[in-house]
Amino acid sequence: MPAVSIVIPTYNRASVVGRAIDSALAQTHGDLEVIVVDDGSTDGTDAVLGSYDDDRLIVLETGMNGGANAARNRGIERATGEFVSFLDSDDELAPTHVERVLETFQEGPEQVRSVYTSYRKRRDGAVYDVIRAQERVTLEDLGRGNPVGSFSATTFRASAFDDVGSLDEELPAVQDYEFYLRLLAADEGAEIRGVPEVLLDRHTDGERIGTDPERKLEGYRRVLKRHGEHVGRRRRAEFAANVAIIYAESGQRERAAAYLRHALAIDPGSVRYAVYYWAASVSCGALLAVLEMKSRLAVFANRLESYRSDS
């Protein structure tokens, strides 16, 4: 039985899925299996997957596109490792990712249900943000936000899926956040540990293309219905602001402004949402320009922090 099963769901990513697979197979901790779930691809992904000759690689074909969570669930069902790690098919792991994650599990108590690492966000190959992992993430932390981010940086004890169930295939958005809430709410004292090193590159090219604000909104509604007692004011305001940004990206200024008003009503002391609302009152372009500036400042701050750490 391998120590880790790395599950890679993919759909029509023939041009990049090899990068993810190569990074998984190149781990310094070699006691692993890599499970690629081809979720009905029609772009030649099968040929890319068929080109590998490595006993650690397992390919599953769903035959039809059921969505990323459905594909992840098929991978979980097939996994034989003590731990299950998720990797999106356009992302890539640093060689020591699995090694450091396992060390973090071993150093922590049994209440550590998941481990995630710091990661870079890339667009067109260039880094535009660095997400630093918190040392510990508790249910209370999740009530304020989602410091963990997407599934692509996370590894779970395989037993977690027996304890709290599989991933929700019907939830239209925020599937990762819903599972984190479910995982930590199920066991008093449960936590997620973070690895400080940057051990994943997330490639977000086209990530928001086709994002439907109504689906995002419905996902938020369902999460609040299930886990509302754990979700605080700040996080609820963030939900509204996220929907506003998607409307702005599709050129719907009035709807964007309306949801930012809602965010301010929930969190009236937020300077950030006040600035966003002012920008949205001008134009969608103004709001997007403010967001771009915020992203650039975040990159600068992270580079400055890295420079100080190295000095």
Side-chain angles (χ1 to χ4, degrees):
M1 180 180 75
V4 181
S5 300
I6 301 177
V7 176
I8 305 176
T10 190
Y11 174 66
N12 285 347
R13 292 283 178 83
S15 62
V16 294
V17 66
R19 178 176 64 196
I21 294 171
D22 291 343
S23 74
L25 293 174
Q27 292 298 296
T28 54
H29 186 96
D31 184 19
L32 54 81
E33 62 183 3
V34 179
I35 303 171
V36 181
V37 185
D38 183 2
D39 196 27
S41 297
T42 59
D43 67 341
T45 292
D46 56 342
V48 176
L49 301 180
S51 68
Y52 283 86
D53 183 18
D54 192 313
D55 292 340
R56 296 173 299 167
L57 179 64
I58 300 164
V59 176
L60 305 179
E61 296 183 357
T62 64
M64 59 181 295
N65 182 239
N69 261 9
R72 290 187 185 102
N73 280 336
R74 301 296 84 73
I76 293 167
E77 291 167 2
R78 177 61 177 80
T80 60
E82 182 182 357
F83 301 93
V84 175
S85 183
F86 294 134
L87 176 63
D88 287 352
S89 60
D90 52 349
D91 295 342
E92 55 189 318
L93 302 174
T96 57
H97 182 101
V98 168
E99 180 181 339
R100 287 291 293 116
V101 164
L102 292 182
E103 288 174 354
T104 303
F105 270 116
Q106 290 163 1
E107 292 164 359
E110 192 68 25
Q111 285 85 358
V112 176
R113 309 309 304 278
S114 175
V115 170
Y116 77 114
T117 75
S118 300
Y119 58 91
R120 283 179 291 261
K121 287 186 174 183
R122 293 182 180 271
R123 186 182 297 125
D124 298 324
V127 176
Y128 70 91
D129 201 359
V130 178
I131 306 302
R132 300 287 177 181
Q134 292 183 195
E135 183 179 354
R136 294 174 66 245
V137 177
T138 64
L139 184 59
E140 184 178 354
D141 293 321
L142 289 177
R144 293 189 291 266
N146 181 10
V148 181
S150 80
F151 277 136
S152 200
T154 56
T155 301
F156 302 88
R157 296 185 189 276
S159 59
F161 303 102
D162 296 325
D163 295 340
V164 303
S166 58
L167 308 180
D168 188 336
E169 300 179 16
E170 303 301 322
L171 194 65
V174 290
Q175 299 96 334
D176 43 21
Y177 181 61
E178 189 279 330
F179 187 74
Y180 304 150
L181 284 169
R182 191 167 12 128
L183 183 67
L184 297 193
D187 182 12
E188 185 176 356
E191 63 182 66
I192 298 170
R193 287 280 173 96
V195 177
E197 297 98 314
V198 176
L199 297 176
L200 175 86
D201 279 292
R202 284 198 60 214
H203 296 267
T204 63
D205 304 272
E207 193 171 77
R208 281 195 179 271
I209 292 176
T211 300
D212 182 349
E214 297 302 323
R215 285 179 59 81
K216 181 75 80 173
L217 192 57
E218 179 59 24
Y220 289 150
R221 285 179 181 138
R222 293 189 193 181
V223 166
L224 290 175
K225 185 175 181 180
R226 295 177 193 173
H227 306 288
E229 63 186 293
H230 303 301
V231 180
R233 174 176 54 85
R234 246 172 61 181
R235 182 58 169 160
R236 291 168 186 263
E238 187 179 6
F239 283 172
N242 287 344
V243 172
I245 291 167
I246 298 171
Y247 275 124
E249 289 174 332
S250 61
Q252 300 183 61
R253 188 195 65 79
E254 291 183 1
R255 283 182 172 269
Y259 274 95
L260 286 169
R261 277 198 304 273
H262 185 46
L264 276 170
I266 298 171
D267 189 4
S270 172
V271 175
R272 177 171 49 139
Y273 297 147
V275 172
Y276 288 0
Y277 177 66
W278 169 82
S281 299
V282 176
S283 68
C284 290
L287 174 56
L288 297 178
V290 168
L291 292 168
E292 178 64 24
M293 179 60 68
K294 175 178 174 287
S295 177
R296 289 177 181 273
L297 288 172
V299 171
F300 175 77
N302 278 306
R303 286 176 178 170
L304 184 61
E305 182 182 339
S306 296
Y307 172 78
R308 286 173 173 169
S309 298
D310 295 339
S311 298

